[in-house]
Amino acid sequence: MKKYIIWLLLVTSINVQAQNIKGKVCFEKDKSPVQFATVGLLHMPDSAMITGVITLTDGGYKLEKVTPGNYFIKVSFVGFKTSGKSVTVETGNNEITVDTIFLAEAVASLNEVTVVAERIKGKEMVDRTVYEIPNLIAKSSSNGYDILKKIPQVNVDFQNNVTLNGSSNFIIQVDGRQRDKEFLAKLLPSDIQSIEVISNPSGKYEGNIDGVINIILKKEARYGMNGNTSLTIKPFNKPTTQATGSLDYAMGKITFYATGFLVSQKLDIFSSNENHFTGIDSTTSMSGIGGIKVTSSAINSGFDYYLNDKNNLSFNVSYKPIRQAVDISSETYLYKNSNPLNTISSLTNTGVHSDETSVSLFYKKLFKKAIQEFTAETSYYIFKSNDGTDFTNTRYLYNSDTPLSTYARVEENLNERNYFSTKLDYVHPIGFSAKIETGYQLYYQKMNYVFNVDNLQSTTPFNYEEIRNSIYGGITYNLKKIGMQALLRVENSHIMADSVTNHDYACFLPSANLQYKFSASHNLKFTYNRRINRPGIYDMDPYYKIGQNYNITQGNPNLKPDYRDRLQLTYTWNFGSNYFSPYVYQEYFTNKVGRQLLITTSPVNNALTTISKPFNLLTGYESGGGINAMLWYVNINARIYQGHFNEYTGDFIHIPAVNYFSYAITSYAFAQLDKKKTTTAFVFLNYNGVNVNAQSKTYSLPLYGIGVQKQLKDHSFGIFYLLPFSGKVQFSRTETETPYFNSSNRTRIDIGNYIQFSYSYKFNKGKNVKKLDRKIEVESDSKSQTIGR
C-alpha cells in the first residue's frame, strides 16, 4: 500500500510539472506567417525526437505536456533552411512562449553558380494542395495570371481564360473571398504567398462547383498606394484590345480599392449547316459569312475596415456590362430527292446586352484559439439581359432572281434574375489535430422572362422563384501519417412557379477525403463527393425561338437538378523541384440535361423543321485517368476517359444507349532565356476533346501558340502568336444523328496574323500594414462568345 501511494504521488507530481510551449514561425524576408511548417521538439543533448506538430494558418504552434528539461525546437519547410531555437522548461511555468522563429530561403552554391528555388512545389493536405510561391517566380511574373500559369492542375490560355483540371466550373477566391477572373490582373505577384487548389470541395461550398482556387496573400500590404495596369493589343486582322487597371489606397485601419477591366474583340466568322430529313429525303444546305464583336467590362470597388486584431469588415460592389453583336449573311439551298428546289437568302443580326450588379457585406471574427473563427456574409445580385434576333429571308426558285416570298421576324427576349443570400460559417478547433466546421445559408432567387415577337408581347410573362435553406457540418482530423475529412451538406428548395410540377425537393451532398502520407514526398489520397447542377436561367426560358432556317429552340422550366457521384484515387510525388500527380476516377451521373431533337412543322411556312428542348435525358457513368504535373518547366494537365449513356425512352422519342471515348490535354511550357531570369519564352497548347451529348457530338479545334515576355523592373513587355501561319480554321463542328434527322454544323474563323502585344506596369509604395481578409461569393449569369470561352 505504501509503495502504491508513493507511485501515485510521483505520477501526480510529473503531471503537474508538465508544461506547454507555444510560438510562431515566419518567413525571414517579409515576416509573413508560415503555415504547414513541421515543428519538432528534440531532447537535448541526445537530440531524441519527443513530439511534433505542424504550424497553423497564422504560423502558430503549440507543444503540450512537456516535462522539465533542455530542448531544441526544430522547424523545417520545403524550399527553406531548417531553423530553430533552444528552450529550457522549468518547474512552475504553466506556459512558455518562444521567440518567433524565422525561415530563410534555401540557397545552394555549385561552382560559384547560385541556385535558388525557381519552380513551384505542392504540399498535399487532406482537403487541398498548397503551392508556395518562390520569390524568383514572383519576380518573373507581372500579375496573378502569370502565377497561375505555373500551378499544376491550373491552365491559363492566351485570352486569360482559366481552367481547373480541364473544367471551367470552379470558383476563384482571394483570401477566401470569391472574385471574377478579371481580378487576377490586379494582384501583384510579390503579394501572393501561396495558392490553394481544392479539387474535392467540401460541404462548406455550394453544391454545384467542381473546384476552388484560393489565392493567399501575404499578411502585409503597403500603407499608401499601390496598383497595376496592363494593355494587350492585337493590331492585325480585326483589332482586339484588352485593358486592366487597379488601385488600392490604405489609411491605417481602412483600405479602399477599385479595379477595372475592358476587352473589345472582333472576328470574321464563317458558318455552314447541312440538315437531312431522312424520312422524306429532304436536305437543306446553308453557308454564311459575317462578323462577331464583343465588348465586356467590369468594375469592382469597396473597402476593408480593420476594427482590431480579431474583427474586420468588408464591403464590395461590382458592375459588369457585356455587349455582343453577330451579323451573318447566308445562302440556303433546299433539295428534294437530291434535286435543288429553292434558294433562300438570309440576313441575320443577333445582339446580347446584359448587365449584372452585386453588392456584398462581409464580417469575420477571430477568437483566442487558433483556427477558431466566425464569418457572416450578405450579398444581393441583379442580372438583366436583352437578347435580340432579327432576320429577313427571301425565297427564290433555284437559279432564279425572282423572289417567291419574303419573311421577316424580330425576337426580343428579356431576362431578369435577382438573388439574396446570407451565409454563416463557424470553425472550432479540437486540440491541435482536429477541427469541426458548420454553417447555414439562406438563398432566395427570382427570375422573370418576357418574350416579344415583332415588338409585341407574345405570351404571358413567366415568373420563377426559389427559396433554399442549406446547412452543413463535418470534421477534419490530421495525424502524422493519416488525414481525414468528412462533411455533409443538406439543401432544401421550395419553388414557386405555375408550370413546375416538383415544387419541393431536398438533397444530401456528402464529401470525404482520406489521405495517407508515405513520406514528405509521397502521398496517396482517396476522395468522394456528390455534386448537384441546377438548371440555369437560359435553360429554363420557356418561350419558342425561331432561327433563320425556321428551326425552333425552347427552354424547359420543369427541368430537375442533375447529380454526380465521383470517386477518385490520386498519387502525388514531389521530386527535386518537380510535381507529378496521376489519378484515376469513376463518376456516376443521373438526370443529366441533354437536348432532345424532334421533327415538327414550322409555324412560319408549314415546312418540316426541328425543335430542340432540354430534358433530363442522361443517366450513366464515366471512368478515366489523367495526370497533373509540373515537370521542370512544363505544366501538364491531361485526361483520357470513356463513358456510357443509358437508353432513354420518352413520350415521343427513343434514344439508344451510347458509349463514348475522348481525351483532353492542356499544357504550358516556359524557359528563362537569360541569367537574370527576366526574359521568358513560352508555348501554349490546348485541346478539349469531343463533347458528347444525347444525340450529338461536338469537336473542337486544338489551339497552340508561342510567346516571349520581358521583365524590366516594374515594367513587362510581351508578344504572343496564336496558330502561327494559319488563316481560316474550323473552330468547332457539331454532328447530330437521330432516326429521322441528321445535321452537321461547322464554324470557321479567320485566325490569320493573330499576334498580341502586351505591356504591364505595377507599382507598390508606402509602408507595410497588416492585410485584411474578406470573402465575397457572387454567382454570374453573363455570357459571351469569344475565342476560348
PDB file of all heavy atoms in Angstrom, residues 540-561:
ATOM      1  N   MET A 540     -34.034  27.393 -68.702  1.00  0.00           N
ATOM      2  CA  MET A 540     -35.408  27.367 -68.223  1.00  0.00           C
ATOM      3  C   MET A 540     -36.325  28.344 -68.957  1.00  0.00           C
ATOM      4  O   MET A 540     -37.517  28.413 -68.670  1.00  0.00           O
ATOM      5  CB  MET A 540     -35.422  27.663 -66.723  1.00  0.00           C
ATOM      6  CG  MET A 540     -34.643  26.659 -65.910  1.00  0.00           C
ATOM      7  SD  MET A 540     -34.518  27.090 -64.174  1.00  0.00           S
ATOM      8  CE  MET A 540     -36.226  27.017 -63.699  1.00  0.00           C
ATOM      9  N   ASP A 541     -35.784  29.098 -69.901  1.00  0.00           N
ATOM     10  CA  ASP A 541     -36.589  30.049 -70.671  1.00  0.00           C
ATOM     11  C   ASP A 541     -37.662  29.270 -71.453  1.00  0.00           C
ATOM     12  O   ASP A 541     -37.344  28.465 -72.329  1.00  0.00           O
ATOM     13  CB  ASP A 541     -35.671  30.800 -71.628  1.00  0.00           C
ATOM     14  CG  ASP A 541     -36.376  31.935 -72.334  1.00  0.00           C
ATOM     15  OD1 ASP A 541     -37.616  31.913 -72.408  1.00  0.00           O
ATOM     16  OD2 ASP A 541     -35.689  32.843 -72.817  1.00  0.00           O
ATOM     17  N   PRO A 542     -38.951  29.489 -71.194  1.00  0.00           N
ATOM     18  CA  PRO A 542     -39.988  28.604 -71.756  1.00  0.00           C
ATOM     19  C   PRO A 542     -40.449  28.966 -73.162  1.00  0.00           C
ATOM     20  O   PRO A 542     -41.265  28.233 -73.737  1.00  0.00           O
ATOM     21  CB  PRO A 542     -41.152  28.793 -70.766  1.00  0.00           C
ATOM     22  CG  PRO A 542     -41.016  30.200 -70.297  1.00  0.00           C
ATOM     23  CD  PRO A 542     -39.523  30.476 -70.260  1.00  0.00           C
ATOM     24  N   TYR A 543     -39.946  30.036 -73.768  1.00  0.00           N
ATOM     25  CA  TYR A 543     -40.536  30.523 -75.000  1.00  0.00           C
ATOM     26  C   TYR A 543     -39.873  29.923 -76.237  1.00  0.00           C
ATOM     27  O   TYR A 543     -38.686  29.622 -76.259  1.00  0.00           O
ATOM     28  CB  TYR A 543     -40.439  32.052 -75.051  1.00  0.00           C
ATOM     29  CG  TYR A 543     -41.138  32.723 -73.896  1.00  0.00           C
ATOM     30  CD1 TYR A 543     -40.429  33.475 -72.965  1.00  0.00           C
ATOM     31  CD2 TYR A 543     -42.514  32.577 -73.722  1.00  0.00           C
ATOM     32  CE1 TYR A 543     -41.067  34.076 -71.893  1.00  0.00           C
ATOM     33  CE2 TYR A 543     -43.161  33.174 -72.661  1.00  0.00           C
ATOM     34  CZ  TYR A 543     -42.435  33.919 -71.750  1.00  0.00           C
ATOM     35  OH  TYR A 543     -43.072  34.497 -70.684  1.00  0.00           O
ATOM     36  N   TYR A 544     -40.693  29.780 -77.306  1.00  0.00           N
ATOM     37  CA  TYR A 544     -40.205  29.299 -78.588  1.00  0.00           C
ATOM     38  C   TYR A 544     -39.403  30.406 -79.281  1.00  0.00           C
ATOM     39  O   TYR A 544     -39.826  31.552 -79.319  1.00  0.00           O
ATOM     40  CB  TYR A 544     -41.361  28.902 -79.503  1.00  0.00           C
ATOM     41  CG  TYR A 544     -42.088  27.661 -79.088  1.00  0.00           C
ATOM     42  CD1 TYR A 544     -43.205  27.730 -78.270  1.00  0.00           C
ATOM     43  CD2 TYR A 544     -41.666  26.411 -79.529  1.00  0.00           C
ATOM     44  CE1 TYR A 544     -43.892  26.593 -77.892  1.00  0.00           C
ATOM     45  CE2 TYR A 544     -42.344  25.261 -79.152  1.00  0.00           C
ATOM     46  CZ  TYR A 544     -43.454  25.359 -78.336  1.00  0.00           C
ATOM     47  OH  TYR A 544     -44.121  24.224 -77.961  1.00  0.00           O
ATOM     48  N   LYS A 545     -38.263  30.017 -79.849  1.00  0.00           N
ATOM     49  CA  LYS A 545     -37.471  30.946 -80.650  1.00  0.00           C
ATOM     50  C   LYS A 545     -37.212  30.297 -82.006  1.00  0.00           C
ATOM     51  O   LYS A 545     -36.898  29.107 -82.084  1.00  0.00           O
ATOM     52  CB  LYS A 545     -36.156  31.285 -79.949  1.00  0.00           C
ATOM     53  CG  LYS A 545     -36.367  31.952 -78.595  1.00  0.00           C
ATOM     54  CD  LYS A 545     -35.055  32.169 -77.870  1.00  0.00           C
ATOM     55  CE  LYS A 545     -35.322  32.809 -76.516  1.00  0.00           C
ATOM     56  NZ  LYS A 545     -36.159  31.951 -75.651  1.00  0.00           N
ATOM     57  N   ILE A 546     -37.327  31.081 -83.044  1.00  0.00           N
ATOM     58  CA  ILE A 546     -37.222  30.565 -84.401  1.00  0.00           C
ATOM     59  C   ILE A 546     -35.976  31.144 -85.055  1.00  0.00           C
ATOM     60  O   ILE A 546     -35.761  32.369 -85.056  1.00  0.00           O
ATOM     61  CB  ILE A 546     -38.474  30.923 -85.228  1.00  0.00           C
ATOM     62  CG1 ILE A 546     -39.705  30.272 -84.593  1.00  0.00           C
ATOM     63  CG2 ILE A 546     -38.314  30.477 -86.676  1.00  0.00           C
ATOM     64  CD1 ILE A 546     -40.997  30.593 -85.294  1.00  0.00           C
ATOM     65  N   GLY A 547     -35.139  30.271 -85.608  1.00  0.00           N
ATOM     66  CA  GLY A 547     -33.924  30.700 -86.275  1.00  0.00           C
ATOM     67  C   GLY A 547     -34.156  30.995 -87.732  1.00  0.00           C
ATOM     68  O   GLY A 547     -35.261  30.832 -88.276  1.00  0.00           O
ATOM     69  N   GLN A 548     -33.082  31.430 -88.426  1.00  0.00           N
ATOM     70  CA  GLN A 548     -33.218  31.837 -89.820  1.00  0.00           C
ATOM     71  C   GLN A 548     -33.609  30.677 -90.727  1.00  0.00           C
ATOM     72  O   GLN A 548     -34.191  30.887 -91.794  1.00  0.00           O
ATOM     73  CB  GLN A 548     -31.912  32.453 -90.304  1.00  0.00           C
ATOM     74  CG  GLN A 548     -30.748  31.459 -90.355  1.00  0.00           C
ATOM     75  CD  GLN A 548     -29.470  32.104 -90.827  1.00  0.00           C
ATOM     76  OE1 GLN A 548     -29.131  33.166 -90.375  1.00  0.00           O
ATOM     77  NE2 GLN A 548     -28.788  31.458 -91.758  1.00  0.00           N
ATOM     78  N   ASN A 549     -33.283  29.426 -90.302  1.00  0.00           N
ATOM     79  CA  ASN A 549     -33.699  28.252 -91.071  1.00  0.00           C
ATOM     80  C   ASN A 549     -35.021  27.680 -90.563  1.00  0.00           C
ATOM     81  O   ASN A 549     -35.353  26.540 -90.859  1.00  0.00           O
ATOM     82  CB  ASN A 549     -32.616  27.169 -91.015  1.00  0.00           C
ATOM     83  CG  ASN A 549     -31.379  27.564 -91.793  1.00  0.00           C
ATOM     84  OD1 ASN A 549     -31.478  28.284 -92.792  1.00  0.00           O
ATOM     85  ND2 ASN A 549     -30.225  27.121 -91.333  1.00  0.00           N
ATOM     86  N   TYR A 550     -35.725  28.484 -89.750  1.00  0.00           N
ATOM     87  CA  TYR A 550     -37.026  28.124 -89.181  1.00  0.00           C
ATOM     88  C   TYR A 550     -36.932  27.005 -88.151  1.00  0.00           C
ATOM     89  O   TYR A 550     -37.949  26.439 -87.752  1.00  0.00           O
ATOM     90  CB  TYR A 550     -38.025  27.743 -90.291  1.00  0.00           C
ATOM     91  CG  TYR A 550     -38.150  28.800 -91.351  1.00  0.00           C
ATOM     92  CD1 TYR A 550     -37.928  28.496 -92.700  1.00  0.00           C
ATOM     93  CD2 TYR A 550     -38.477  30.100 -91.025  1.00  0.00           C
ATOM     94  CE1 TYR A 550     -38.034  29.470 -93.682  1.00  0.00           C
ATOM     95  CE2 TYR A 550     -38.593  31.091 -91.994  1.00  0.00           C
ATOM     96  CZ  TYR A 550     -38.366  30.764 -93.321  1.00  0.00           C
ATOM     97  OH  TYR A 550     -38.465  31.752 -94.291  1.00  0.00           O
ATOM     98  N   ASN A 551     -35.728  26.668 -87.737  1.00  0.00           N
ATOM     99  CA  ASN A 551     -35.569  25.698 -86.654  1.00  0.00           C
ATOM    100  C   ASN A 551     -35.980  26.357 -85.342  1.00  0.00           C
ATOM    101  O   ASN A 551     -35.815  27.564 -85.135  1.00  0.00           O
ATOM    102  CB  ASN A 551     -34.131  25.196 -86.572  1.00  0.00           C
ATOM    103  CG  ASN A 551     -33.139  26.320 -86.418  1.00  0.00           C
ATOM    104  OD1 ASN A 551     -33.051  27.191 -87.282  1.00  0.00           O
ATOM    105  ND2 ASN A 551     -32.389  26.322 -85.323  1.00  0.00           N
ATOM    106  N   ILE A 552     -36.513  25.562 -84.407  1.00  0.00           N
ATOM    107  CA  ILE A 552     -37.110  26.084 -83.176  1.00  0.00           C
ATOM    108  C   ILE A 552     -36.279  25.620 -81.986  1.00  0.00           C
ATOM    109  O   ILE A 552     -35.887  24.445 -81.900  1.00  0.00           O
ATOM    110  CB  ILE A 552     -38.563  25.589 -83.022  1.00  0.00           C
ATOM    111  CG1 ILE A 552     -39.406  26.043 -84.224  1.00  0.00           C
ATOM    112  CG2 ILE A 552     -39.180  26.106 -81.732  1.00  0.00           C
ATOM    113  CD1 ILE A 552     -40.778  25.417 -84.259  1.00  0.00           C
ATOM    114  N   THR A 553     -36.015  26.524 -81.064  1.00  0.00           N
ATOM    115  CA  THR A 553     -35.381  26.184 -79.784  1.00  0.00           C
ATOM    116  C   THR A 553     -36.279  26.671 -78.655  1.00  0.00           C
ATOM    117  O   THR A 553     -36.974  27.680 -78.774  1.00  0.00           O
ATOM    118  CB  THR A 553     -33.992  26.826 -79.651  1.00  0.00           C
ATOM    119  OG1 THR A 553     -34.115  28.245 -79.763  1.00  0.00           O
ATOM    120  CG2 THR A 553     -33.041  26.310 -80.720  1.00  0.00           C
ATOM    121  N   GLN A 554     -36.244  25.924 -77.547  1.00  0.00           N
ATOM    122  CA  GLN A 554     -37.087  26.255 -76.408  1.00  0.00           C
ATOM    123  C   GLN A 554     -36.420  25.764 -75.135  1.00  0.00           C
ATOM    124  O   GLN A 554     -35.756  24.725 -75.121  1.00  0.00           O
ATOM    125  CB  GLN A 554     -38.465  25.590 -76.563  1.00  0.00           C
ATOM    126  CG  GLN A 554     -39.445  25.931 -75.443  1.00  0.00           C
ATOM    127  CD  GLN A 554     -40.713  25.101 -75.516  1.00  0.00           C
ATOM    128  OE1 GLN A 554     -40.745  24.069 -76.167  1.00  0.00           O
ATOM    129  NE2 GLN A 554     -41.762  25.539 -74.837  1.00  0.00           N
ATOM    130  N   GLY A 555     -36.589  26.518 -74.041  1.00  0.00           N
ATOM    131  CA  GLY A 555     -36.137  26.065 -72.734  1.00  0.00           C
ATOM    132  C   GLY A 555     -37.193  25.202 -72.064  1.00  0.00           C
ATOM    133  O   GLY A 555     -38.263  24.947 -72.612  1.00  0.00           O
ATOM    134  N   ASN A 556     -36.885  24.779 -70.838  1.00  0.00           N
ATOM    135  CA  ASN A 556     -37.788  23.880 -70.121  1.00  0.00           C
ATOM    136  C   ASN A 556     -37.794  24.266 -68.641  1.00  0.00           C
ATOM    137  O   ASN A 556     -36.875  23.906 -67.902  1.00  0.00           O
ATOM    138  CB  ASN A 556     -37.332  22.437 -70.299  1.00  0.00           C
ATOM    139  CG  ASN A 556     -38.272  21.440 -69.656  1.00  0.00           C
ATOM    140  OD1 ASN A 556     -39.263  21.825 -69.038  1.00  0.00           O
ATOM    141  ND2 ASN A 556     -37.966  20.166 -69.800  1.00  0.00           N
ATOM    142  N   PRO A 557     -38.819  24.994 -68.186  1.00  0.00           N
ATOM    143  CA  PRO A 557     -38.852  25.406 -66.770  1.00  0.00           C
ATOM    144  C   PRO A 557     -39.079  24.258 -65.807  1.00  0.00           C
ATOM    145  O   PRO A 557     -38.938  24.444 -64.597  1.00  0.00           O
ATOM    146  CB  PRO A 557     -40.026  26.392 -66.733  1.00  0.00           C
ATOM    147  CG  PRO A 557     -40.896  26.012 -67.872  1.00  0.00           C
ATOM    148  CD  PRO A 557     -39.973  25.519 -68.947  1.00  0.00           C
ATOM    149  N   ASN A 558     -39.392  23.078 -66.319  1.00  0.00           N
ATOM    150  CA  ASN A 558     -39.649  21.929 -65.457  1.00  0.00           C
ATOM    151  C   ASN A 558     -38.429  21.013 -65.331  1.00  0.00           C
ATOM    152  O   ASN A 558     -38.541  19.866 -64.896  1.00  0.00           O
ATOM    153  CB  ASN A 558     -40.841  21.124 -65.977  1.00  0.00           C
ATOM    154  CG  ASN A 558     -41.547  20.362 -64.872  1.00  0.00           C
ATOM    155  OD1 ASN A 558     -41.609  20.827 -63.741  1.00  0.00           O
ATOM    156  ND2 ASN A 558     -42.053  19.204 -65.202  1.00  0.00           N
ATOM    157  N   LEU A 559     -37.245  21.528 -65.710  1.00  0.00           N
ATOM    158  CA  LEU A 559     -36.036  20.730 -65.555  1.00  0.00           C
ATOM    159  C   LEU A 559     -35.744  20.464 -64.077  1.00  0.00           C
ATOM    160  O   LEU A 559     -35.954  21.316 -63.214  1.00  0.00           O
ATOM    161  CB  LEU A 559     -34.838  21.462 -66.160  1.00  0.00           C
ATOM    162  CG  LEU A 559     -34.732  21.495 -67.685  1.00  0.00           C
ATOM    163  CD1 LEU A 559     -33.585  22.403 -68.100  1.00  0.00           C
ATOM    164  CD2 LEU A 559     -34.548  20.103 -68.254  1.00  0.00           C
ATOM    165  N   LYS A 560     -35.238  19.263 -63.806  1.00  0.00           N
ATOM    166  CA  LYS A 560     -34.825  18.908 -62.454  1.00  0.00           C
ATOM    167  C   LYS A 560     -33.299  19.025 -62.340  1.00  0.00           C
ATOM    168  O   LYS A 560     -32.590  18.994 -63.330  1.00  0.00           O
ATOM    169  CB  LYS A 560     -35.255  17.467 -62.148  1.00  0.00           C
ATOM    170  CG  LYS A 560     -36.759  17.247 -62.160  1.00  0.00           C
ATOM    171  CD  LYS A 560     -37.104  15.800 -61.824  1.00  0.00           C
ATOM    172  CE  LYS A 560     -36.646  14.853 -62.916  1.00  0.00           C
ATOM    173  NZ  LYS A 560     -37.080  13.453 -62.656  1.00  0.00           N
ATOM    174  N   PRO A 561     -32.787  19.166 -61.126  1.00  0.00           N
ATOM    175  CA  PRO A 561     -31.327  19.154 -60.962  1.00  0.00           C
ATOM    176  C   PRO A 561     -30.749  17.799 -61.346  1.00  0.00           C
ATOM    177  O   PRO A 561     -31.423  16.764 -61.264  1.00  0.00           O
ATOM    178  CB  PRO A 561     -31.131  19.426 -59.461  1.00  0.00           C
ATOM    179  CG  PRO A 561     -32.428  19.991 -58.987  1.00  0.00           C
ATOM    180  CD  PRO A 561     -33.488  19.385 -59.844  1.00  0.00           C
TER     181      PRO A 561
END
